Amino acid sequence: YPRTEIDVRVDTDLAWGAGAAMQSLRIELRVGGAVGEVVSQRTVTLNRGVDPVLLPLTFAMSPRDQDATRRVWIQVHGCHGSNGCGDDVGEAPLVTQRALVSYVRRETRRLDVFLASRCVGVACDTSQRCDVATGVCVGVEVPVEQLRPVQEADAGPLVDVVATVDAPDVPITADAPDVPVVLDPPDV
């Protein structure tokens, strides 16, 4: 610390896991916006059993080449099936949340991505996100003032997972059922 980083924390008020309404997450990261370069796409199957993957799920993003002026577009689909959802799977998401965020040089900030029951079935444009309080589509940009500064003591445990854009999805595991999973995607 201090690192130029955004810690993303994904959580929900929906039932999740094997046999529940939401069984997986489809996470996509792009540079600059919804049509920017894809830097990570992965499906994470949620489960409470052996090798659990639990919510909240946390991952960290650092700017490529330490360029704090970069912006990152994040899209998280909550999916009915365990194999993900979206155009590539042919299944519509149960709920979607998006954000467009900026880094703060030499600071770690936290972005909360909440897959709210109020947003189930709400179809926002890729330039919008669903407001968790109202269920109404609003602008996708999350001002840096709304990203909580993270101190070293606030940082969660890390699970060593490295992904590249061209690599197949990597299964995510945690060491203990009560430890949130932390993804460590490539620099964006």
Side-chain angles (χ1 to χ4, degrees):
Y1 277 87
R3 295 186 297 238
T4 304
E5 185 174 275
I6 296 175
D7 291 350
V8 180
R9 183 177 185 268
V10 180
D11 207 352
T12 188
D13 60 353
L14 296 166
W16 59 270
M22 190 170 67
Q23 297 183 38
S24 64
L25 302 175
R26 179 72 175 163
I27 302 169
E28 181 176 334
L29 306 175
R30 291 178 178 257
V31 175
V35 296
E37 172 194 358
V38 175
V39 291
S40 181
Q41 286 183 325
R42 65 172 41 197
T43 297
V44 179
T45 302
L46 302 170
N47 73 77
R48 293 181 166 108
V50 177
D51 294 328
V53 177
L54 308 172
L55 292 178
L57 179 131
T58 305
F59 61 92
M61 303 183 304
S62 298
R64 186 179 295 160
D65 300 323
Q66 294 301 305
D67 180 1
T69 64
R70 296 177 78 85
R71 293 164 34 116
V72 181
W73 181 84
I74 302 155
Q75 176 173 265
V76 180
H77 291 311
C79 308
H80 291 290
S82 61
N83 295 322
C85 58
D87 294 338
D88 56 333
V89 178
E91 180 181 324
L94 172 68
V95 61
T96 298
Q97 197 55 269
R98 296 181 188 92
L100 178 62
V101 294
S102 299
Y103 294 97
V104 178
R105 183 171 161 68
R106 297 186 53 85
E107 288 188 25
T108 299
R109 298 286 181 122
R110 185 167 104 183
L111 169 67
D112 290 309
V113 176
F114 194 72
L115 300 170
S117 58
R118 185 170 296 229
C119 294
V120 169
V122 176
C124 299
D125 184 78
T126 58
S127 65
Q128 299 176 315
R129 61 185 166 90
C130 180
D131 183 279
V132 298
T134 64
V136 173
C137 296
V138 297
V140 72
E141 188 159 356
V142 177
V144 71
E145 298 79 28
Q146 292 181 17
L147 302 176
R148 183 176 68 82
V150 175
Q151 304 304 318
E152 188 170 6
D154 296 337
L158 295 177
V159 174
D160 186 23
V161 176
V162 178
T164 61
V165 176
D166 296 329
D169 287 341
V170 178
I172 309 304
T173 61
D175 293 334
D178 59 346
V179 176
V181 173
V182 180
L183 305 179
D184 205 7
D187 293 342
V188 289

